[in-house]
């Protein structure tokens, strides 16, 4: 088997995990995901985008109902679809955060 070189930090973490497993202990927390979680400005882009899409949908719905033009109706349909997709992504994100924050998870 090929040798894999680990950084000193990775070697220390691996040694701590091996020692804990030798003692028969289970880890207090799950290993962290290598994927960064959205935070800061990136974490606010989706809610802000959904808010903008919702506002655009409301305006286009008003224009579509008052004028009856097919262009406004189709624009409303597109904006509403985008809003629903963003809301679905937000609900999935919130559910995952809720599941990760539960102590028995």
């Amino acid at each position: 088997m090929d040798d894999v070189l680990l950084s000193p930090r990775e070697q220390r973490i691996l040694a701590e995990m091996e020692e804990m497993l030798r003692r028969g202990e289970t880890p207090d927390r799950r290993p962290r995901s290598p994927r960064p979680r959205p935070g800061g400005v990136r974490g606010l882009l989706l809610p802000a985008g959904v808010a903008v899409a919702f506002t655009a949908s409301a305006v286009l719905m008003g224009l579509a109902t008052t004028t009856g033009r097919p262009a406004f109706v189709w624009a409303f349909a597109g904006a509403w679809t985008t809003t629903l997709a963003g809301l679905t992504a937000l609900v999935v994100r919130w559910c995952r955060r809720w599941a990760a924050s539960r102590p028995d998870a």
Side-chain angles (χ1 to χ4, degrees):
M1 181 160 76
D2 294 333
D3 291 335
V4 177
L5 298 177
L6 299 175
S7 69
R9 178 180 175 271
E10 292 170 332
Q11 290 175 354
R12 180 182 51 81
I13 292 171
L14 182 60
E16 289 173 1
M17 290 173 62
E18 288 174 345
E19 180 62 31
M20 185 185 340
L21 291 172
R22 271 191 223 105
R23 288 183 272 156
E25 297 177 10
T26 57
D28 292 338
R29 61 180 172 83
R30 293 178 12 192
R32 284 186 278 168
S33 168
R35 177 178 45 127
R37 293 187 176 214
V41 174
R42 278 192 68 220
L44 295 177
L45 285 179
L46 183 59
V50 170
V52 168
F54 178 77
T55 304
S57 296
V59 169
L60 287 169
M61 183 178 61
L63 289 172
T65 55
T66 56
T67 64
R69 291 189 174 174
F72 287 134
V73 173
W74 282 106
F76 165 71
W80 184 242
T81 304
T82 304
T83 303
L84 290 180
L87 281 173
T88 302
L90 277 176
V91 168
V92 168
R93 180 191 292 181
W94 291 332
C95 289
R96 287 183 179 163
R97 284 183 184 171
W98 176 76
S101 69
R102 295 180 57 202
D104 61 341

